[in-house]
Amino acid sequence: MHNILNKQGFNGHLGEQRTAAILAKDFLVSTISVDIEGRDFTVEEMPSSLIEIQESKKRITCKGIVQAKYFENSNEVKIARHYVEDTEGVKTDFFALIHTDDINRNEHVYFFTAREIQQNFTLRTDSDKDYYIFRLSSKRKFLKYKNIPSHKINQVIRNEISRTEEFRNEEFIRRITEKWVNPINEQQYSNNDLFKSLKGKHIVD
């Protein structure tokens, strides 16, 4: 058992190292304990100027969540269902990088968005918990998701983070706008009044 745990720890560390090397080319990367929803890394855009940093404080910003995995041979990889989905549906800010080596010790990586995990992995229940299962076989090789260039991986992550931010900010404005509707007489204030009330205030400190 001790050797198995050591092997799992080594493989986990190997997956994390390779994932960090890909992400660090384009993002600010932070490490998260795997005990917190199994998330290994969070990523965010690198600000290009002080002005960009100041402007980012005026809106809701989102980080990508990336889980790193490593497997050997045809061993399966499990990703908990609640990492991939929430009450709003499939998450747009969660990604998985799954690494392995072939018999010649060549490195390979498989990249998936949460939606691709939902669409392509097998859903299975173990000990009353739901998991999405990745496993290579003669019928399932996942070639479409194999060895995608790093810059393309990071571009997909960047695009999905942007989509998530856009949704969160639109949702925030919608909720604020609803508060300007008087439920008694249904009087609605103008957008000018609304934005005057927000002028000079940071949405996120």
Side-chain angles (χ1 to χ4, degrees), residues 54-170:
Q54 293 170 331
E55 288 299 315
S56 70
K57 293 182 178 182
K58 300 177 183 179
R59 66 179 190 275
I60 296 172
T61 58
C62 298
K63 298 180 180 181
I65 302 161
V66 183
Q67 188 165 79
K69 296 285 189 178
Y70 182 93
F71 72 96
E72 294 180 324
N73 304 317
S74 59
N75 292 344
E76 68 180 27
V77 172
K78 297 166 64 175
I79 297 179
R81 185 179 186 180
H82 66 270
Y83 302 164
V84 178
E85 306 167 7
D86 58 20
T87 56
E88 296 175 343
V90 66
K91 295 183 179 180
T92 55
D93 58 355
F94 179 81
F95 313 89
L97 283 162
I98 304 175
H99 303 265
T100 193
D101 294 342
D102 62 25
I103 58 175
N104 296 315
R105 304 187 70 178
N106 296 310
E107 298 179 7
H108 301 283
V109 61
Y110 298 81
F111 170 70
F112 300 92
T113 65
R115 184 169 299 281
E116 289 166 344
I117 291 172
Q118 185 189 59
Q119 293 173 343
N120 294 279
F121 289 20
T122 300
L123 184 61
R124 189 179 75 203
T125 301
D126 288 343
S127 302
D128 297 324
K129 294 183 179 180
D130 293 334
Y131 295 92
Y132 281 105
I133 308 299
F134 168 91
R135 188 170 190 171
L136 294 180
S137 69
S138 58
K139 295 182 179 179
R140 299 297 305 274
K141 298 183 182 295
F142 298 96
L143 296 179
K144 177 181 176 181
Y145 308 97
K146 182 179 180 181
N147 294 337
I148 299 171
S150 296
H151 72 276
K152 291 187 177 181
I153 288 175
N154 289 342
Q155 186 59 55
V156 170
I157 293 174
R158 184 181 293 108
N159 291 344
E160 292 297 295
I161 292 174
S162 179
R163 285 180 55 206
T164 305
E165 286 188 358
E166 183 178 355
F167 172 79
R168 298 299 179 198
N169 280 280
E170 288 177 355

Side-chain angles (χ1 to χ4, degrees), residues 42-57:
T42 61
V43 295
E44 57 186 312
E45 289 274 17
M46 294 183 183
S48 59
S49 66
L50 178 60
I51 293 176
E52 187 173 327
I53 294 174
Q54 293 170 331
E55 288 299 315
S56 70
K57 293 182 178 182

Side-chain angles (χ1 to χ4, degrees), residues 176-191:
I176 291 294
T177 303
E178 286 179 350
K179 292 182 179 181
W180 282 74
V181 177
N182 189 318
I184 298 177
N185 57 21
E186 297 185 351
Q187 177 185 3
Q188 185 167 352
Y189 293 86
S190 69
N191 285 337

Side-chain angles (χ1 to χ4, degrees), residues 10-20 41 68-70 97 99:
F10 175 80
N11 286 347
H13 183 63
L14 193 58
E16 291 172 10
Q17 281 188 321
R18 294 183 184 179
T19 295
F41 301 99
K69 296 285 189 178
Y70 182 93
L97 283 162
H99 303 265

